[in-house]
Structure formats: structure tokens, C-alpha cells
Amino acid sequence: MLAQLQVAKEGLPLPGPEASGDELFRLGLLYSTGQGGAPLDYVSAHMLFNLAAMRGSVEAKVYRKELSEEMASDEVAEAQRQAREWLAHG
């Protein structure tokens, strides 16, 4: 199941479809900083911030916008694709 897949090869497991916006936001923070066992991975962080924003996290919207300014457009597109995939399998 997708909830057991990892965001990045050595990354942390993705939360399940019941995850709150706050949980997704906290996981996005780990990937955006490379802390807590997560690799530094802006694509995964953007994906998680996007999902968190969709679940009502205002902070995630701010972080997603700031992060997207540091990313190439193809990286943002990949993060959005991954978020759609997570939603489709959730």
C-alpha cells in the first residue's frame, strides 16, 4: 500500500490517508531541513506541504510557497504529481 512506501529511497514512510494537515506539515519540515531521519529532499517536502495545505495547514501554504521559490519548475511539477498520486491511492 502507498502508505508504506517511502517518499525518498532512504526516507521516512508516508503517513496514511487519515493523516492530519499538522502531521503532513511536520513531516514536510523534516524533509525540507534533512532532519529526523529524513534526507534533504525539496520535492518530497513540497509534496507534503501541498498535502498539508489541502488539509487546512496555513503554515504549510507559507512554507510551500517559500520552498517553490528555491526549486526548478520541473521539481515543483514532480512534487505536484506525487501529491496527486498520494491522494489517488489514499
Side-chain angles (χ1 to χ4, degrees):
M1 182 170 291
L2 188 62
Q4 296 171 339
L5 293 178
Q6 297 193 346
V7 179
K9 290 188 184 215
E10 291 103 32
L12 304 171
L14 277 172
E18 71 288 344
S20 70
D22 288 339
E23 291 171 311
L24 293 162
F25 173 71
R26 284 192 298 273
L27 190 55
L29 281 177
L30 295 178
Y31 278 96
S32 69
T33 59
Q35 296 180 353
L40 182 62
D41 182 348
Y42 286 173
V43 172
S44 295
H46 188 286
M47 176 200 78
L48 290 160
F49 289 149
N50 195 26
L51 294 168
M54 293 173 68
R55 300 247 166 125
S57 173
V58 176
E59 290 177 300
K61 291 178 184 180
V62 173
Y63 279 72
R64 179 186 60 192
K65 182 179 185 306
E66 290 177 4
L67 192 59
S68 67
E69 293 170 2
E70 302 290 323
M71 298 169 66
S73 60
D74 62 322
E75 292 174 317
V76 173
E78 175 61 19
Q80 292 170 338
R81 185 197 65 75
Q82 288 180 20
R84 287 190 301 272
E85 184 177 325
W86 186 86
L87 288 169
H89 290 94

